[in-house]
Amino acid sequence: MKIGVFDSGVGGITVLSELRRRFPGLEYVYLGDTAHVPYGPKSPAQIERLSRDCARVLRGKGVEALVVACNTASSLALPAIREEMGAVPVFGVVQPGAQAALDAWSDGSPVLVLATRATVNSQAYGQSIRGGNASVTVIEQACPLLVPMIEEGWIDHPILHQTIREYVESHARAHSAGVALLGCTHYPWIQDAIQKALPGWKVINSAQAIAELLGKQGVVDRADRGRGKVEWIFTDPAAVPAFAKKWVQE
Ligand code: DGL
């Protein structure tokens, strides 16, 4: 079985890694739109158009299911992507991420969603989490500088640590504990740095959640013998940061 995985850049590799770990017998096509990353500051219409283009490429590759491994595209372009993919099932990361936050949540503490500006503006996470439990306090924090830094390869740079602190410090001061949901698939690359800035908080990500969901829903045929092979497509291959190349060369 061939699964398509799509992201604006190298963030979806965190989802792909989870999928390969859980379903090592499948075959994958990864599409990173590195020519147009970041999606987060773009308008909903631009995000929809770019997502459609990516979906068309993956449909042309004959994928039998598509994982939209980008929270921004999942928040703003799922109906458009489904339209492009026809009968091919399409799975976004927002619903499973929201469910994972609810599962990790304990009474009284807030859920802090860290995401791109477009994802936060769409309110997809807030609606999804509150739809599951209306009593949960959801704080949505846009972190627009993080994706460009990660794509630049600054995953352990002092500026990255300082920037994370700027985004989360007030929340860490206001609440000694809570659930921090990484609502952007780039952020698991810097999960340790985020955890350091939010001591006492449970930091979770939607990458694990979507892989779990596919398993539970019986979408994947585990008997397949694709050997975890990945076809890598980047719309600008020269823009792939060095830390991610290690995965791409495997
Ligand atoms: N990985 C994308 C996400 O999950 C990043 C979006 C961007 O390119 O800004 O939202």
Side-chain angles (χ1 to χ4, degrees), residues 89-104:
V90 175
F91 300 90
V93 278
V94 171
Q95 279 296 336
Q99 189 53 53
L102 286 168
D103 293 345

Side-chain angles (χ1 to χ4, degrees), residues 7-66:
D7 180 45
S8 58
V10 298
I13 297 175
T14 62
V15 175
L16 178 67
S17 301
E18 278 299 320
L19 291 171
R20 286 175 88 194
R21 200 171 62 78
R22 272 164 216 254
F23 315 114
L26 304 187
E27 197 182 332
Y28 300 91
V29 184
Y30 183 87
L31 173 56
D33 192 7
T34 42
H36 301 105
V37 71
Y39 280 13
K42 294 183 169 62
S43 71
Q46 282 174 308
I47 293 164
E48 195 180 295
R49 184 176 56 74
L50 292 168
S51 301
R52 274 187 193 276
D53 291 348
C54 292
R56 267 198 295 274
V57 172
L58 288 167
R59 187 162 185 199
K61 288 285 171 186
V63 301
E64 295 150 86
L66 173 63

Side-chain angles (χ1 to χ4, degrees), residues 7-8 37-40 70-72 116 147 184-186:
D7 180 45
S8 58
V37 71
Y39 280 13
C70 174
N71 290 268
T72 309
T116 67
V147 168
C184 171
T185 55
H186 278 72

Side-chain angles (χ1 to χ4, degrees), residues 70-101:
C70 174
N71 290 268
T72 309
S74 297
S75 300
L76 289 141
L78 264 194
I81 294 169
R82 291 208 164 106
E83 207 176 282
E84 293 295 335
M85 296 305 288
V88 175
V90 175
F91 300 90
V93 278
V94 171
Q95 279 296 336
Q99 189 53 53

